[in-house]
Amino acid sequence: MRAAPTILHLDMDAFYASAEQAAKPSLRGKAVIVGGLGPRGVVATASYEARRFGVHSAMPMGQARRLAPNAAYLVPRFEVYRDISEQVMELLRGLSPLVEPLSLDEAFVDLEAGGVASDEASARAVGERLRADIRAVTGLTGSVGLAASKMLAKIASEEAKPDGLRLIVPGTERELLGPMAVRTLPGVGPVTGDHLRRAGITTVAEIAEAGEDELVRLLGKAHGMHLYEMALARDERPVVAERDTKSVSVEDTFDIDIHDRVRVRLEVDRLAERCVQRLRAGGHSGRTVVLKVRRYDFSTLTRSETLRGPTDDPGVVREAAARLLEAVDTTGGVRLLGVGVSGLADFTQEDLFAQAAQAAQAKEEQERLERGEEEAVAEAAGREAEEAVPAQEAAVEAPAERRWLAGHDVRHAEFGPGWVQGSGLGRVTVRFETPYSAPGRVRTFRSDDPLLEPGEPLPLVAGADDREEGPSYGSQAGESGSSEPAIRPKSRSGGGDSMGAETSIP
C-alpha cells in the first residue's frame, strides 16, 4: 500500500442521463431514464431525480415505468456518450500515462506515475482541478475518489456522489471500512452477500473478525482469501494503462420472440455487419466467429467456428454465423441473438495473401481476353440483364417508414434543430431546443415529413458561433414550451407522448 492517496478514481455522475439533460434544457431537473424502451428493455442510466422513485440501472424498463410513469424515457445516443468520454479520458491522460478506463464514464489514474501528486494536499488539488476541467469541457459533473489503493479510491468516489470529492487518508482505512456493509467490497454480489449474512457476517469489520480460515471454509480458497485481504484494506493492484481487447460482439433482445426462420437469419446477418463495423473501428480482425442464441425458455446456446486466419470481411463473418445458425433449433422462438468475433489480431489473412489475390485477378482477366471479344460482350450483357431485374423491383418497392427514436436529434428545414419527444401512428413529436437555448416549443409532424430529417448532435459546451444556432423562432422558444419531461408513450413504436399545445401537421 502507498503512503499517499495518489490513486484517483473518476466516476461521471449518472452519465447518460446527465448528458441528455445537458443537451435538452426542458429535461434539466427532471426525471430522465435512458435505456431500451421495448417491453424487454432495461434501464442503462437513471438521473438522480429518477432515482428518488427507486429507479436504478439494470432494472427492467417495465418496472421503471411503473415507478416513474411521468419520467422522460429516451433511447441511448452512444455516439454522443463516446465523444464526451473521449474528452474526459483526454483530460485524464494529461495527468498521467497510467490511465485505466473501466467504461465510458469511469477510470483509475495513477497520479504518482504522472508526477502531479505526492501527498494529500497535492492529490486533493489535482482532484479539484480535474472536476473543474471536466465541467468546463463537457458541461457535466464527475465524482472523484482519492486513496492509496484502487479499491479504496472507488469506494471514496461512490461516497463523493454526486459531484463531490472524497479523500481517504492513509492509515484510516480500517476504521472507515469497518461499519460498511459487506456489499461495499468488490466481488461481493447478492449471492455472496446472502451467504455471509446467513453466517452472521453483515459488515466489513465482521469479515475481518471472522478470519481467513473461516472465510475460506465459507467461500472457497480463492474467494475467501481475496475477501479477507480486502476487509483488511489490502489492495496492491496496479493501475494498468492498456487492457487488450479479447473479443468484439453485438447482440439484440427482441420485444417479441422471433419464430420465423428467415427473420432469424436476417437478424444474424445484420448483427454480423454491425460486429464487423466495430471490429474495423478498433483496427482488429479475428479468427473465431461466435453465435449466441437465447431461446423462448431462456436457455442460451453458444456456437463458434474458428477460421483458417483472422479476417474483418463482413461476408466471411456473415457466412460463418449463418453456418452456426444452421446447427441451432429456433422453432420455439428466439428472444436474443448475438454475433461476436474473438481471437483478435491487428492484421487479416487477406493482408498476408494480397499478392496471391492480385495474381488470381490478373489470371482471370487474361482468361477472359482469351475467350474472345464476342463472348465477353455477351457475358457482360447477360450480367446487365440479371442486375436490371432487382433494380426494377427496387424501383417499385414502397419506401420503408422512417423510425424516429425518442431523444435522438433531428433538424427541420423551417424550425431548425431539435429532438424526438415521441413517435407513433404515423406522427412524430419534436421539441425544438438546443443545449444553449431556453426550453423549446413542441410541434408534431407526419413521420414522413420531407422537411424533417435526422440531425447531428450539438456539443454540450460551445462557443459563440454555436450558441447562435438554435430554433428559428428565436426568443419565442420558451414562451409556450413546457419544462416538464416527456411522458411515456401511448404509441405503437414507443417513445414519448407529445407535450405542448402547438402542432403542425402538413
Side-chain angles (χ1 to χ4, degrees):
M1 290 275 292
R2 302 184 179 194
T6 54
I7 291 183
L8 179 148
H9 180 260
L10 170 71
D11 197 350
M12 299 295 289
D13 299 323
F15 182 44
Y16 299 169
S18 295
E20 298 299 345
Q21 289 176 319
K24 303 170 173 63
S26 58
L27 299 185
R28 292 170 190 169
K30 307 298 181 180
V32 175
I33 297 170
V34 181
L37 301 190
R40 292 174 178 170
V42 297
V43 176
T45 305
S47 69
Y48 286 99
E49 295 84 0
R51 296 180 191 187
R52 298 192 188 113
F53 296 97
V55 181
H56 58 77
S57 298
M59 172 181 285
M61 191 60 76
Q63 183 180 354
R65 290 185 186 277
R66 290 190 293 271
L67 292 172
N70 294 320
Y73 288 86
L74 307 178
V75 177
R77 298 185 300 156
F78 288 110
E79 179 183 353
V80 173
Y81 311 147
R82 280 192 288 268
D83 288 344
I84 299 172
S85 175
E86 183 54 36
Q87 290 178 307
V88 173
M89 296 302 166
E90 189 64 29
L91 291 174
L92 299 183
R93 288 190 286 268
L95 298 177
S96 172
L98 294 183
V99 176
E100 182 179 339
L102 303 180
S103 61
L104 289 177
D105 61 339
E106 188 179 0
F108 287 109
V109 184
D110 189 334
L111 301 180
E112 185 177 292
V116 295
S118 58
D119 54 22
E120 295 173 28
S122 57
R124 183 182 296 276
V126 169
E128 293 290 6
R129 187 170 68 250
L130 173 64
R131 292 177 56 234
D133 289 344
I134 289 173
R135 184 186 291 273
V137 171
T138 69
L140 305 181
T141 64
S143 295
V144 170
L146 292 158
S149 69
K150 291 170 71 173
M151 178 191 74
L152 291 164
K154 185 172 176 62
I155 291 173
S157 70
E158 188 65 31
E159 289 200 329
K161 283 185 167 294
D163 191 20
L165 181 147
R166 176 70 191 275
L167 184 148
I168 298 177
V169 179
T172 66
E173 295 93 349
R174 292 282 300 276
E175 180 183 354
L176 172 75
L177 289 175
M180 291 183 175
V182 295
R183 291 288 302 275
T184 304
L185 298 180
V188 181
V191 175
T192 301
D194 189 57
H195 200 47
L196 291 171
R197 182 187 56 79
R198 291 198 299 269
I201 300 173
T202 59
T203 67
V204 176
E206 289 170 345
I207 291 178
E209 292 170 4
E212 184 176 5
D213 292 342
E214 177 65 9
L215 290 171
V216 168
R217 186 185 69 81
L218 289 171
L219 305 175
K221 184 175 181 180
H223 196 17
M225 292 176 64
H226 174 74
L227 195 57
Y228 181 67
E229 290 292 309
M230 292 291 181
L232 298 180
R234 298 172 183 167
D235 179 17
E236 300 294 341
R237 293 174 300 161
V239 176
V240 181
E242 296 292 339
R243 292 183 177 274
D244 293 334
T245 303
K246 296 181 179 180
S247 64
V248 172
S249 63
V250 296
E251 61 182 43
D252 274 346
T253 300
F254 306 103
D255 295 341
I256 301 174
D257 290 349
I258 300 177
H259 294 82
D260 183 2
R261 185 74 175 182
V262 175
R263 167 79 188 282
V264 173
R265 170 63 190 272
L266 290 174
E267 292 293 341
V268 168
D269 288 349
R270 183 176 58 83
L271 289 167
E273 294 282 351
R274 285 172 51 195
C275 181
V276 169
Q277 288 176 5
R278 292 189 58 186
L279 193 70
R280 288 179 168 178
H284 297 298
S285 60
R287 293 177 58 92
T288 302
V289 178
V290 182
L291 175 70
K292 177 180 178 181
V293 180
R294 182 166 297 152
R295 299 189 291 189
Y296 68 98
D297 57 357
F298 286 88
S299 61
T300 302
L301 303 178
T302 303
R303 299 289 184 267
S304 64
E305 176 181 321
T306 299
L307 308 173
R308 287 181 294 179
T311 185
D312 63 355
D313 186 331
V316 173
V317 175
R318 189 170 56 245
E319 291 171 7
R323 287 193 296 270
L324 295 171
L325 179 63
E326 293 301 319
V328 178
D329 180 11
T330 62
T331 54
V334 173
R335 61 184 292 116
L336 178 147
L337 288 170
V339 174
V341 176
S342 60
L344 302 188
D346 295 328
F347 62 93
T348 65
Q349 187 179 31
E350 288 80 3
D351 294 332
L352 300 178
F353 297 100
Q355 291 182 347
Q358 291 174 358
Q361 183 179 6
K363 181 179 179 181
E364 182 180 351
E365 291 177 355
Q366 180 63 30
E367 291 176 350
R368 193 167 180 177
L369 290 173
E370 292 174 354
R371 288 200 303 268
E373 182 179 353
E374 184 175 342
E375 184 178 350
V377 170
E379 181 181 344
R383 275 201 312 275
E384 289 175 0
E386 291 174 358
E387 293 171 359
V389 174
Q392 292 171 357
E393 293 176 351
V396 298
E397 185 178 353
E401 183 178 354
R402 290 190 291 180
R403 291 184 63 200
W404 302 102
L405 300 179
H408 282 225
D409 300 280
V410 295
R411 173 175 287 277
H412 192 275
E414 179 180 353
F415 302 112
W419 57 278
V420 176
Q421 191 164 270
S423 65
L425 301 176
R427 299 290 187 269
V428 55
T429 300
V430 177
R431 187 180 286 274
F432 289 100
E433 60 186 7
T434 73
Y436 338 113
S437 72
R441 285 181 175 178
V442 173
R443 294 178 181 268
T444 298
F445 309 90
R446 295 185 185 278
S447 60
D448 59 354
D449 189 326
L451 300 182
L452 186 68
E453 61 183 6
E456 291 296 324
L458 297 174
L460 302 184
V461 176
D465 292 342
D466 297 305
R467 292 180 185 273
E468 290 174 1
E469 181 178 14
S472 61
Y473 38 80
S475 61
Q476 298 178 353
E479 290 177 6
S480 64
S482 168
S483 62
E484 293 299 313
I487 323 175
R488 59 176 175 161
K490 295 179 182 176
S491 65
R492 293 175 181 171
S493 63
D497 285 345
S498 63
M499 297 188 58
E502 187 166 349
T503 61
S504 174
I505 303 177

